[in-house]
Amino acid sequence: MKVGPYEAKSILTGSFALDGGAMFGTVPKVLWNKTNPSDELNRIDMEARALLLISDKHKILVDVGLGDKLSEKYGEKFGQKFKEMYKWDQSKNTLTNSLKKHSLMLEDITDVILTHLHFDHAGGATTVENGELVPTFKNAKYYVQKKNLETAQNPNLREKASYFKENFEPLLENKVLNLLEGDVKNLLPQVSVFVTNGHTQAQQLVKIGEQNPLIYCGDIIPTSTHVRLPFVMGYDLDPLLVIKEKQQILEGIASENGFVFFEHDPYMDAAKIVKVGSDFNVSEKVMLN
Ligand SMILES: [Zn+2]
């Protein structure tokens, strides 16, 4: 799919699973279980889907999945635990393999926009090389909101299990992390970021293109089931604010005839949106192969 000057591609980095109740907050299981059936431990399937934007000048990634720090001393923390707790499974796809399908290597990536530093979004930002933690993308500039980094460095009790310093400290040490303060229009050509605060402090979402734009919705609209306004995650710090932020995004995208990109949906990459009364729904499923 062409968006602005870019060819937009979905990059699968691996699948995982999270508790269905936590993913849908106050929504009863009888409703969400129809679209997102759970396993015997009440976990639902999720994807860790990055977005790749290709132009002559730029090869941009938005978010990078859980990563691959499975070796040596990080294995216990990020390997076994991830496999058991989150069913983290890279048997079908890894970030490296998915990039290869588009004839790209890790070194070719010029920019990495991190929506926020939760492990399922930023884990792939660093990797282990000769026992040392280093940035995964050697030639890339990384971008995150300064306020989100500060939250990650001093996480509250609720988010402590989602922010790990191994995922961002090596970026700071290697001076590749650019800290943004607030919305930035055209951070890169026709790529703008805007800040949301409902899910966590200073999660930046990414809007690409001017006509029929595509919005990378991160954890504000993680799956297509979350397009419905009351379907809000139990993880969110401020559910009412998430609903407000979602409403604004969906209102905009429906009127601009654009697309929303779902980072965690196990079944679809993106969708067109239609307004239904005071709520919203998916009108057309879109795959970005
Ligand atoms: Zn998150």
Side-chain angles (χ1 to χ4, degrees):
M1 188 167 106
K2 191 89 179 157
V3 190
Y6 305 99
E7 200 54 54
K9 305 284 183 189
S10 157
I11 294 292
L12 305 179
T13 72
S15 62
F16 67 116
L18 286 177
D19 185 85
M23 279 304 292
F24 291 105
T26 57
V27 178
K29 185 172 180 179
V30 287
L31 295 182
W32 59 253
N33 203 46
K34 289 179 198 157
T35 47
N36 301 75
S38 59
D39 69 5
E40 68 287 357
L41 291 175
N42 208 45
R43 296 173 299 187
I44 60 165
D45 289 338
M46 310 259 292
E47 180 55 54
R49 181 182 289 105
L51 171 67
L52 171 67
L53 301 169
I54 306 173
S55 72
D56 289 346
K57 257 195 165 165
H58 294 96
K59 314 283 177 282
I60 305 163
L61 271 180
V62 183
D63 279 354
V64 287
L66 286 80
D68 199 12
K69 290 190 276 294
L70 308 180
S71 64
E72 297 160 43
K73 63 177 171 178
Y74 302 103
E76 201 180 319
K77 188 168 176 184
F78 295 101
Q80 244 359 75
K81 179 181 152 191
F82 278 15
K83 276 187 185 150
E84 280 163 16
M85 257 181 92
Y86 305 118
K87 278 168 97 176
W88 179 227
D89 180 5
Q90 293 185 298
S91 58
K92 285 198 204 98
N93 298 295
T94 63
L95 202 152
T96 310
N97 289 345
S98 296
L99 285 177
K100 253 186 211 155
K101 288 177 193 158
H102 306 290
S103 308
L104 291 175
M105 308 214 296
L106 298 174
E107 295 74 30
D108 295 322
I109 299 301
T110 57
D111 303 270
V112 177
I113 301 175
L114 299 171
T115 58
H116 61 306
L117 296 168
H118 280 165
F119 69 87
D120 52 323
H121 301 254
T126 64
T127 191
V128 182
E129 216 175 72
N130 305 322
E132 295 274 303
L133 278 169
V134 293
T136 306
F137 306 93
K138 300 265 173 298
N139 299 312
K141 285 182 188 162
Y142 290 72
Y143 306 89
V144 78
Q145 287 287 322
K146 186 173 176 224
K147 268 205 180 130
N148 187 253
L149 173 69
E150 288 165 0
T151 301
Q153 288 171 322
N154 295 293
N156 58 59
L157 211 59
R158 245 184 107 179
E159 291 185 282
K160 228 182 168 138
S162 295
Y163 284 122
F164 302 113
K165 62 180 185 344
E166 289 86 348
N167 293 333
F168 54 84
E169 287 297 340
L171 306 179
L172 289 168
E173 283 158 19
N174 286 276
K175 299 186 170 43
V176 293
L177 189 56
N178 294 269
L179 299 177
L180 307 175
E181 295 185 62
D183 299 354
V184 183
K185 198 157 168 53
N186 293 320
L187 173 68
L188 295 158
Q190 290 196 44
V191 177
S192 300
V193 297
F194 60 99
V195 175
T196 62
N197 291 299
H199 171 65
T200 184
Q201 194 64 240
Q203 172 184 208
Q204 56 185 2
L205 304 187
V206 187
K207 186 173 182 180
I208 305 110
E210 281 152 11
Q211 272 176 358
N212 310 109
L214 173 71
I215 296 191
Y216 190 94
C217 287
D219 272 346
I220 294 290
I221 311 175
T223 76
S224 55
T225 312
H226 292 88
V227 165
R228 300 277 315 280
L229 291 178
F231 283 60
V232 166
M233 294 194 284
Y235 297 110
D236 296 333
L237 293 187
D238 186 340
L240 289 178
L241 184 55
V242 169
I243 291 175
K244 214 182 195 176
E245 290 168 344
K246 244 162 66 159
Q247 198 166 14
Q248 273 173 4
I249 292 165
L250 292 170
E251 200 77 68
I253 216 76
S255 69
E256 289 175 286
N257 198 22
F259 305 87
V260 292
F261 186 96
F262 303 118
E263 183 159 12
H264 292 315
D265 196 289
Y267 314 114
M268 73 178 90
D269 295 337
K272 282 198 161 185
I273 299 298
V274 63
K275 192 164 185 187
V276 185
S278 56
D279 205 347
F280 297 87
N281 226 324
V282 164
S283 71
E284 189 188 319
K285 178 175 159 175
V286 179
M287 298 308 272
L288 309 177
N289 299 318

